[in-house]
Amino acid sequence: MVSPDSIRTAMGIIGNGTALVLFLSPVPTFWRIWKKRSVEQYSPIPYVATLLNCMLWVVYGLPVVHPNSMLVITINGTGTAIELAYITLFLLYSAGPTRRKVLLLLAGEVAFVGVVSALVIALAHTHERRSMIVGVLCVIFGTGMYAAPLSIMKLVIQTKSVEYMPLFLSLAALFNGVCWTAYALIRFDPYITIPNGLGTLLAVAQLVLYAVYYKSTQRIIQERKRKAADQLAMTDVVVDGKAPSNHHHHHHNNNAGGHY
């Protein structure tokens, strides 16, 4: 018979993998920042928020706070390192005011986590007590992280297009949420259950949106391509000084008739 604890461990290990995928998903963004030597319009807030979240979960997983949480420490320790790398790149390639803001936020977060850890270990004397204090903070800040997909979902509904909501990430988020929710339910842990349960629900909602707006997205992209082609045809006319060739018009009629 497989023990519940070994299932929990397996879920945590799979969860480490899926969370790693999510933590590494901004790599293309930072690759672009690095190549362009500029942060352009990108916001540092998601990375600063994720860093705070990871650091707090590391504190939560410490043996003095919540024993038997090694898998919580490994993935959030890794997450902390990854977010610090992102923020370092951000600091390298941002201008004065932005850089100052990020440095201040960073210093504030490190101080906050340090003070919380020190106070919790000094003043709360049972694991339950310590877990509760750090756990509540983790839920509060973790929920803040789940606000990010909400803004993307709003954009999808407004534009009727899922272009800016990558399917792969929504699937990874769903898988991650399910793994950690299972992990948290096997040895019931409300503080891990709440944020990951929420994350799972939001990921499901994203996939539903994806299905609903998939067709209209294709239509919008087709429309954009057709407009671009028309503009090209127009410039051809100007360049050649004569009417565009006939097959061009046929092509349009096919399009208009065929697709919808």
Side-chain angles (χ1 to χ4, degrees), residues 7-190:
I7 298 174
R8 176 178 179 264
T9 302
M11 280 300 168
I13 290 170
I14 301 169
N16 268 262
T18 54
L20 191 60
V21 167
L22 288 172
F23 286 147
L24 290 174
S25 63
V27 162
T29 297
F30 283 90
W31 181 242
R32 184 176 158 168
I33 287 174
W34 190 72
K35 276 203 313 211
K36 296 209 165 184
R37 302 263 183 276
S38 155
V39 294
E40 297 171 302
Q41 297 300 306
Y42 291 113
S43 163
I45 300 302
Y47 314 105
V48 175
T50 308
L51 176 67
L52 177 58
N53 195 54
C54 287
M55 290 194 298
L56 277 172
W57 280 112
V58 169
V59 175
Y60 181 83
L62 292 175
V64 292
V65 179
H66 199 88
N68 308 318
S69 306
M70 199 54 218
L71 290 164
V72 174
I73 294 185
T74 52
I75 187 55
N76 288 292
T78 310
T80 299
I82 293 170
E83 300 305 320
L84 279 171
Y86 290 160
I87 291 168
T88 304
L89 263 177
F90 216 97
L91 288 169
L92 277 175
Y93 297 123
S94 58
T98 314
R99 183 178 287 162
R100 270 197 301 277
K101 188 173 89 174
V102 176
L103 277 172
L104 273 172
L105 283 169
L106 190 57
E109 280 185 2
V110 173
F112 176 72
V113 173
V115 167
V116 164
S117 325
L119 287 178
V120 162
I121 292 164
L123 303 177
H125 295 300
T126 64
H127 287 147
E128 287 75 27
R129 254 322 202 354
R130 291 171 177 172
S131 297
M132 188 182 91
I133 299 167
V134 182
V136 167
L137 288 174
C138 283
V139 169
I140 292 168
F141 291 110
T143 309
M145 275 183 47
Y146 287 116
L150 287 174
S151 60
I152 293 184
M153 288 161 75
K154 184 176 159 217
L155 185 74
V156 169
I157 294 166
Q158 281 172 342
T159 58
K160 295 191 175 24
S161 166
V162 291
E163 241 180 308
Y164 297 104
M165 190 175 74
L167 177 64
F168 169 70
L169 276 186
S170 306
L171 285 169
L174 174 66
F175 210 64
N176 186 55
V178 168
C179 287
W180 285 108
T181 305
Y183 173 92
L185 289 175
I186 290 169
R187 231 188 228 198
F188 184 62
D189 184 332

